[in-house]
């Protein structure tokens, strides 16, 4: 089923990723137009007519489309071209060098997510060449969106496109980053496919009190009032909510684990037993924290300010709180949960907000992903993932698109690698990169034949 030149894929995807890493698109400032121009030139060579749309000077988004038969609505491949900053002094090889050492391509964006951009570029080329060579066209248009600005929220990227040019990217399904990493629990291998993503509802709390001299304390001090609220917020778990993705995640992991662990995992689905069951599971502390944040809305205090001089009691103190909300909840629901913890002396002011999203776990695309992974990794299980952080998925989901995050990373190569995302020494193996192209090619091919 692979086009005749598939054996060139390894060289092509490697070369594109090296070049993309060398184009520094650290956001801010972004300058994604330099990547967009590179992608446009490659696509034009293949006969595409890609569009570059600037949301602000230098902040470019690229959209390209391969026409299918139109029997089914389009599939969107979505990605972002910006990266987070890097501190070169902490890297073994330069973060914008794109150098290859021992089979790994090094650089900022090697995983998040210029690797997926390079992969999607190769996919667009392969499907175009197949069609030009006379293979029957896909039943869906294949749209590619390489957007700017994901790392600071996507307002100038996917969010801007969804608002200003929805007709260009409107699709029934989308494939995004956010899932795909392989990992092990016990002896069993899993690949995550992101089906849901938490939203955010951030806020600021302000406590007021009486000013005064630091040498003469009183009973109405803003910092103390605020500290009491922060303590309640930080130490009181919010109510448990079992989403569809969480339930199916637990079901599918439990179904492949030994009986005693399976039983412990299933107990997590009972809100009355969740905390106790989680504490007793033989998992790492990080795994437990992640499971906990998959089952609750959370409110994490992150920025604290108040006072300017050590001998002056300030009349005001503030804290900013990173609120994260589950699919099915909006800001009003969230406020209902946190209000009782705030007390009466603290004012609440909402900051930025992004809705959560959840795509159906039982869907044709999820089934194709599962089937393709079975042929490559027969012993592995694909499980749905509720991402507690954020991607561009929410912008695209707002158009009614079912977004799935699947950027495969081989489980045996993953330990440690995924931790280099946004950290030092980010890198990906050429083998993993090629594996990603092959699996995603098959996923797109089969899904667009259905
Ligand atoms: Zn990313």
């Amino acid at each position: 089923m692979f086009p005749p030149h598939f054996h060139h894929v390894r060289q092509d995807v490697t070369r594109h990723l090296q070049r993309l890493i060398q184009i520094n698109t650290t956001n801010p400032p972004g300058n994604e137009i330099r990547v967009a121009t590179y992608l446009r030139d490659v696509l034009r060579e293949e006969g595409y007519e890609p569009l570059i749309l600037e949301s602000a000077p230098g902040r470019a988004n690229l959209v390209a489309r391969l026409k299918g038969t139109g029997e089914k609505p389009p599939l969107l491949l979505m990605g972002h071209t910006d990266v987070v900053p890097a501190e070169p002094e902490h890297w073994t090889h330069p973060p914008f060098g794109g150098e290859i050492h021992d089979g790994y391509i090094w650089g900022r964006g090697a995983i998040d997510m210029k690797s997926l951009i390079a992969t999607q570029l190769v996919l667009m080329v392969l499907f175009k060449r197949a069609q030009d060579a006379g293979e029957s066209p896909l039943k869906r248009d294949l749209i590619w969106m390489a957007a700017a600005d994901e790392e600071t929220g996507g307002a100038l990227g996917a969010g801007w496109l969804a608002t200003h040019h929805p007709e260009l990217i409107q699709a029934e399904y989308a494939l995004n980053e956010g899932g795909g990493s392989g990992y092990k629990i016990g002896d069993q291998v899993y690949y995550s496919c992101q089906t849901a993503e938490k939203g955010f509802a951030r806020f600021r709390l302000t406590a007021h009190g009486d000013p005064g001299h630091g040498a003469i304390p009183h009973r109405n001090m803003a910092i103390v009032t605020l500290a009491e609220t922060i303590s309640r917020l930080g130490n009181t778990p919010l109510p448990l909510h079992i989403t569809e993705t969480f339930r199916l995640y637990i079901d599918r992991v439990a179904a492949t684990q030994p009986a005693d662990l399976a039983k412990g995992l299933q107990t997590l689905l009972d809100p009355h037993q969740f905390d106790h069951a989680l504490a007793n599971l033989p998992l790492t502390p990080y795994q437990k924290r992640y499971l906990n944040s998959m089952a609750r809305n959370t409110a994490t205090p992150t920025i604290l300010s108040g006072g300017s001089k050590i001998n002056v009691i300030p009349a005001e103190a503030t804290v900013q709180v990173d609120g994260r909300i589950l699919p099915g909840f909006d800001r009003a629901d969230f406020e209902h949960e946190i209000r009782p913890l705030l007390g009466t002396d603290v004012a609440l002011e909402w900051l930025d907000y992004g809705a959560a999203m959840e795509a159906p776990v039982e869907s044709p695309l999820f089934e194709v992903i599962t089937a393709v992974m079975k042929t490559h990794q027969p012993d592995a299980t694909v499980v749905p993932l509720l991402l507690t952080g954020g991607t561009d998925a929410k912008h695209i989901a707002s158009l009614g698109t079912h977004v799935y995050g699947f950027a495969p990373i081989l489980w045996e190569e993953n330990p440690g690698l995924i931790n280099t995302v946004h950290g030092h020494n980010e890198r990906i193996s050429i083998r993993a990169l090629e594996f990603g192209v092959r699996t995603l090619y098959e996923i797109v091919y089969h899904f667009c034949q259905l």
Side-chain angles (χ1 to χ4, degrees), residues 65 331 375 388 427:
R65 179 183 294 250
R331 193 154 62 189
T375 66
T388 57
R427 61 198 185 277

Side-chain angles (χ1 to χ4, degrees), residues 162-221:
T163 305
H164 296 277
H165 299 281
E167 73 289 351
L168 294 178
I169 52 171
Q170 187 73 54
E172 185 182 19
Y173 285 88
L175 278 167
N176 184 30
E177 62 170 347
S181 307
Y183 59 95
K184 270 182 134 177
I185 299 178
D187 292 331
Q188 183 60 42
V189 176
Y190 300 95
Y191 284 86
S192 59
C193 173
Q194 187 198 328
T195 54
E197 181 167 309
K198 271 183 143 176
F200 52 88
R202 296 172 176 137
F203 57 94
R204 180 188 289 121
L205 298 174
T206 305
H208 295 278
D210 296 328
H213 196 295
I216 312 164
H218 53 70
R219 304 298 298 173
N220 185 26
M221 294 190 279

Side-chain angles (χ1 to χ4, degrees), residues 80 112-113 150-151 177 422:
H80 65 86
D112 181 16
M113 62 160 272
E150 190 269 348
E151 297 292 359
E177 62 170 347
H422 290 211

